[in-house]
Amino acid sequence: MDSNLKKIITECPKAELHYHIDCISPELFWKFSQRNGIELPIKTLRDAIDFYNFQTLDEFLTIMLTAISSIQTENDFSDMVMDCANDMVTQNIIYREVMFDYTACYGHRGVSLNTVINGFAEGLKLAKKRYENIDIRFIANLDRTASVIDNCNYINKLIKFREEIPLIAVGMDMQEIGHPAHKQADAFALAKEYGFKLTGHVGEVVGPEGIWDALQSIPLDRIDHGVRAVEDDELLKLLAEKQILLTLCPASNISLGVYSSWWEFPIKKLMNSKVKVCINSDDPPCFHYDLTGNLIKIAETFDLSTSEVIELIRNSFIFNFAGNEHLSNVDAWLDKNIAI
Ligand code: ADE
Ligand code: ZN
C-alpha cells in the first residue's frame, strides 16, 4: 500500500466509537483465571488463545461470555481499562468510547455494579496518570435479550454512577435475531430522559428490517454496525439525510460470516450513498484486527484515496458523543503532515 496512506493510518490521531471492553484478551483471560482461581476449560495461556474459535454470532457470544466469567474483582476491571489505554497509545487513538454490558456479562453472576464501576474508575485514574493525552468515555449497553422492565431498572441504578465514570450513552448488544430493537423502546426513552445519547447494534446479522424497526421506535443518535442497510436504497437515503452514523466493524463482520471476504464488505456503496460511516474493531481480541488493522485492510482492499481515508478518520471525531473537541488535534496533524 502507498506508504503515505499507511503513515496517515498509523500516525494520525484516531478515535474509536465501537469497542467492547468486556471482550478481554487471551492474556487477561489467563491472568484473571489464575488470579481468581476459577475452574475454566483452559490450563495454559495457549489454551486461552485457542479458546477464541467460533463461526457464528451465537458461538462467539458463548465463548466471549465464558472468557468474561474469569472477570470478578475491581482489580480486574481496573486492569481492563489499563489494557484498553495501553492499546490506545500503541495505535495513536486519543479518544475511545468503550462499551460494557453489565447485565449479560456480570450482573447474572452476582458481580455488583459497584464493583464494575469502581474498577473502571480506578483504571481510568491510573491510565490518566500514565498517559496524558487519552480520553475514554463509557457506553452502557443494554442486553437486548433481557426484559425491558429489567433494563429500565438497570438504567435507574446506573445514573448514580455518572459521577464516578464518564458515562455518556446507552447502547444495546447481544443476539439480534429474535430480539428486535422495538422491544427495548421504553428503556431507551428512559435513557433519553436522563440525557444519555442513544446507540444500538442493529443491521449486523439481521437485514434492513432490523434497522427500520429500530428507527421507527427509538430516536437513535448512531447505529452500531448497520452495515446491512446497504441492501435497501430507501434506508440508505434516510440514513444519509438524517446523518445517522454507522459504526462499521469490517473484521468482525467477516469473522462472524456476515460477509465471506473483505472484498464483499460494502464500504464503497455506503460511502457513495453519502451515508456517514467510520471504522471500528468491535472485539479485537476475537477478530484479530485492531482499528489500525481494519483501516489498513479496508484501504488496501478498496484502493481508498487519501481523502476517503481522512473522511473515515474524521467521522469518528465529528460523530462522537463528547462533541468534536478533539477534531482540531486531528486537523492540525493533517495540516502538518499531508500535502493536499
Ligand atoms: N457483543 C460484543 N460484540 C458483539 C457483536 N458483534 N454483536 C452483538 N453483541 C456483541
Ligand atoms: Zn459490537
Side-chain angles (χ1 to χ4, degrees):
M1 111 179 278
D2 174 64
S3 63
N4 212 25
L5 206 49
K6 192 153 192 180
K7 177 181 159 80
I8 297 173
I9 292 173
T10 52
E11 294 179 21
C12 181
K14 291 178 283 300
E16 185 164 33
L17 308 183
H18 185 159
Y19 173 94
H20 298 259
I21 197 165
D22 311 308
C23 184
I24 49 176
S25 67
E27 288 75 15
L28 283 188
F29 177 26
W30 174 242
K31 175 176 167 180
F32 297 162
S33 307
Q34 297 284 100
R35 183 156 83 188
N36 298 327
I38 312 162
E39 276 291 311
L40 280 170
I42 54 163
K43 299 272 173 280
T44 62
L45 174 57
R46 184 73 243 168
D47 289 345
I49 295 167
D50 294 343
F51 188 71
Y52 290 164
N53 184 7
F54 49 82
Q55 307 280 331
T56 63
L57 179 59
D58 264 338
E59 283 174 18
F60 158 69
L61 291 171
T62 304
I63 279 167
M64 187 186 75
L65 287 172
T66 307
I68 286 169
S69 69
S70 67
I71 307 169
Q72 310 255 327
T73 66
E74 277 185 26
N75 206 4
D76 300 340
F77 290 99
S78 170
D79 284 354
M80 287 155 67
V81 174
M82 191 49 95
D83 201 47
C84 165
N86 291 338
D87 171 66
M88 287 172 72
V89 171
T90 310
Q91 293 189 68
N92 287 316
I93 295 175
I94 58 171
Y95 177 89
R96 186 179 259 165
E97 292 177 6
V98 163
M99 298 170 174
F100 67 102
D101 183 334
Y102 172 71
T103 309
C105 301
Y106 314 111
H108 68 98
R109 295 187 279 116
V111 178
S112 74
L113 194 51
N114 258 313
T115 299
V116 178
I117 305 283
N118 289 345
F120 284 161
E122 179 62 19
L124 271 186
K125 211 167 76 192
L126 296 174
K128 291 228 164 104
K129 216 191 266 172
R130 187 180 296 176
Y131 305 117
E132 263 171 39
N133 288 329
I134 57 167
D135 188 349
I136 297 177
R137 315 278 174 123
F138 289 85
I139 298 176
N141 274 351
L142 304 177
D143 174 358
R144 69 194 314 148
T145 70
S147 76
V148 66
I149 295 175
D150 286 352
N151 277 333
C152 287
N153 290 338
Y154 169 51
I155 292 168
N156 282 323
K157 276 201 205 122
L158 199 61
I159 47 158
K160 84 164 195 260
F161 293 103
R162 285 204 278 202
E163 314 280 283
E164 324 284 325
I165 60 169
L167 206 48
I168 49 170
V170 165
M172 173 177 66
D173 64 358
M174 302 306 283
Q175 181 53 265
E176 191 183 5
I177 297 171
H179 301 282
H182 76 262
K183 291 202 175 162
Q184 302 298 338
D186 287 350
F188 277 105
L190 179 63
K192 194 173 169 74
E193 265 177 49
Y194 283 128
F196 287 113
K197 294 284 190 186
L198 308 183
T199 186
H201 285 54
V202 287
E204 178 188 14
V205 288
V206 170
E209 66 278 14
I211 305 172
W212 282 115
D213 170 71
L215 292 177
Q216 281 158 1
S217 52
I218 302 166
L220 290 174
D221 297 293
R222 288 198 317 235
I223 289 177
D224 295 314
H225 295 288
V227 63
R228 292 196 56 191
V230 79
E231 296 162 34
D232 183 332
D233 288 344
E234 197 64 29
L235 182 54
L236 289 176
K237 220 167 110 197
L238 180 80
L239 293 169
E241 260 166 37
K242 296 210 166 211
Q243 302 229 325
I244 298 177
L245 176 90
L246 308 181
T247 64
L248 302 176
C249 307
S252 161
N253 293 158
I254 291 149
S255 273
L256 296 177
V258 178
Y259 298 105
S260 54
S261 73
W262 286 85
W263 287 107
E264 284 184 29
F265 191 77
I267 185 91
K268 275 288 189 185
K269 180 163 178 192
L270 290 167
M271 290 179 86
N272 290 341
S273 306
K274 306 270 179 275
V275 174
K276 300 294 178 191
V277 296
C278 67
I279 299 293
N280 303 269
S281 64
D282 206 9
D283 306 276
C286 283
F287 304 137
H288 309 300
Y289 285 82
D290 57 14
L291 170 60
T292 310
N294 271 277
L295 279 166
I296 288 175
K297 192 79 185 169
I298 282 288
E300 265 176 0
T301 305
F302 297 100
D303 199 17
L304 294 191
S305 65
T306 301
S307 66
E308 285 171 320
V309 168
I310 290 174
E311 184 184 331
L312 290 172
I313 291 174
R314 288 183 86 252
N315 277 349
S316 308
F317 287 96
I318 296 169
F319 291 91
N320 72 50
F321 286 150
N324 52 17
E325 63 186 87
H326 296 296
L327 188 59
S328 55
N329 294 333
V330 180
D331 288 344
W333 189 94
L334 290 167
D335 280 349
K336 202 163 136 206
N337 291 278
I338 310 297
I340 300 180

